[in-house]
Amino acid sequence: METEFEGFCSGSEILTKYAERWRKVSFGVPVLDRLTGGGIGSRGIFELAGDPGSGKTQIALKLALAAQRTVPNSTVVYICTEHMFPSRRLLQMEAEYKRQTVPDTEGQEHSFADHILVEHVRCVPTLMACLFDRLPKLLEKAKVSVLIVDSITSPFTEEKDYVLRAETFRTIVHRLHQLQEQHNFAILVTNQVRSVIDSATLDDQRTVPALGLAWSTLVHTRLQLARTHGTNNRRCTVVFGPSLIPKHGYYHIDESGPVDAVDDQRSFLVDDQY
């Protein structure tokens, strides 16, 4: 059924008239917010792809905390597919986050962890049931600011029918887009990476996000993370996004989670290769 045409409006009017539709949820990490123009938008699939140990889960946990400040009285849905939810690490990060962002007693009684709802799934049917059945019911009852899937890769690693897998990708993303239109929440998925070698020269090894082109065409914005040799810093690169320019920045991980690499003066650069 077609929606009623509401008439044309200016770009500035859109931001005020449809504020929830176009709001961004902060990562809680300044360098990532600068790279993305303020965080994750409430439309489309936002992906973090990266090497093991590059900080994908750490960033997701920090986002789950920061989202509750960006969108007051909201809930975060966190779907784990690869490992048990790191509850102990979350509580450590929550304590540091409160200490750094709430200097007085005001707001200290708020339990961020209590507003992060966790689901564990291991296979595609369970993931589909969670997204198609349980999530819509929750959205009718609670104000959700962010849905996190950590990671989208694991349930599909054993799937050998790539045509069916591509169709499942489209079905999932189409349904999530519908739910975003109704409830205005951001979506973050993490993705693994794999190494590919130029078949012509047998060298020029590159690291690319997993799941191939069928998945990549459905992603709205992609950041790629990598560990840097000889340093504790990690690198975050904007791969693509409709309103972003290719840049990279550096961060490291401490007790509070991901933070800017303040000792690195290259912390925010436009990539030379573009």
Side-chain angles (χ1 to χ4, degrees):
M1 183 175 62
E2 294 185 3
T3 58
E4 182 179 354
F5 178 62
E6 299 180 0
F8 294 104
C9 59
S10 69
S12 58
E13 288 174 334
I14 288 175
L15 295 178
T16 55
K17 186 176 181 180
Y18 304 105
E20 287 196 350
R21 180 186 299 179
W22 303 116
R23 77 173 167 224
K24 288 195 170 184
V25 179
S26 170
F27 279 101
V29 186
V31 65
L32 299 184
D33 285 346
R34 292 196 298 271
L35 287 171
T36 56
I40 300 178
S42 299
R43 291 295 183 275
I45 307 298
F46 195 109
E47 181 191 88
L48 282 181
D51 305 328
S54 59
K56 299 186 295 295
T57 296
Q58 303 271 353
I59 291 174
L61 292 175
K62 192 72 167 280
L63 172 67
L65 296 172
Q68 296 179 52
R69 289 212 177 280
T70 305
V71 186
N73 304 314
S74 68
T75 296
V76 174
V77 177
Y78 199 117
I79 300 176
C80 295
T81 68
E82 294 184 12
H83 45 68
M84 295 298 293
F85 182 76
S87 301
R88 183 175 299 178
R89 177 59 171 143
L90 174 67
L91 294 176
Q92 180 188 34
M93 289 174 61
E94 178 185 20
E96 287 294 318
Y97 186 73
K98 282 186 175 182
R99 185 181 66 81
Q100 295 177 10
T101 62
V102 187
D104 52 28
T105 58
E106 182 182 356
Q108 288 284 353
E109 69 281 356
H110 177 75
S111 174
F112 291 88
D114 286 347
H115 292 82
I116 300 173
L117 305 181
V118 180
E119 180 76 55
H120 296 273
V121 303
R122 292 292 182 267
C123 60
V124 175
T126 308
L127 177 62
M128 299 280 279
C130 181
L131 296 178
F132 282 59
D133 183 27
R134 295 191 287 276
L135 178 61
K137 292 177 181 177
L138 174 64
L139 289 168
E140 294 296 334
K141 299 177 181 179
K143 182 179 181 181
V144 174
S145 54
V146 181
L147 165 67
I148 297 170
V149 182
D150 184 19
S151 73
I152 193 63
T153 325
S154 184
F156 294 96
T157 53
E158 301 300 323
E159 179 59 64
K160 303 303 181 184
D161 186 338
Y162 296 114
V163 174
L164 177 61
R165 189 176 77 167
E167 181 60 34
T168 303
F169 290 158
R170 290 192 293 269
T171 301
I172 289 175
V173 172
H174 177 68
R175 181 56 176 150
L176 289 176
H177 285 170
Q178 289 179 324
L179 293 173
Q180 280 186 315
E181 283 293 326
Q182 299 172 28
H183 301 284
N184 296 311
F185 60 95
I187 298 174
L188 173 74
V189 303
T190 66
N191 193 0
Q192 298 173 6
V193 294
R194 58 187 179 88
S195 295
V196 297
I197 299 176
D198 190 317
S199 59
T201 62
L202 298 182
D203 56 14
D204 190 25
Q205 180 172 308
R206 296 180 296 119
T207 300
V208 300
L211 300 181
L213 187 61
W215 170 254
S216 293
T217 57
L218 301 171
V219 173
H220 178 274
T221 301
R222 170 176 282 166
L223 303 185
Q224 188 157 341
L225 313 178
R227 302 176 68 178
T228 55
H229 298 292
T231 174
N232 291 326
N233 291 341
R234 278 81 165 170
R235 170 175 165 144
C236 177
T237 302
V238 176
V239 180
F240 59 76
S243 59
L244 305 180
I245 60 176
K247 292 182 180 180
H248 63 263
Y250 294 86
Y251 61 97
H252 67 272
I253 297 172
D254 63 13
E255 293 81 0
S256 66
V259 295
D260 284 19
V262 294
D263 60 332
D264 191 329
Q265 303 201 352
R266 302 172 302 161
S267 62
F268 190 56
L269 301 174
V270 176
D271 282 340
D272 298 332
Q273 61 182 322
Y274 295 92

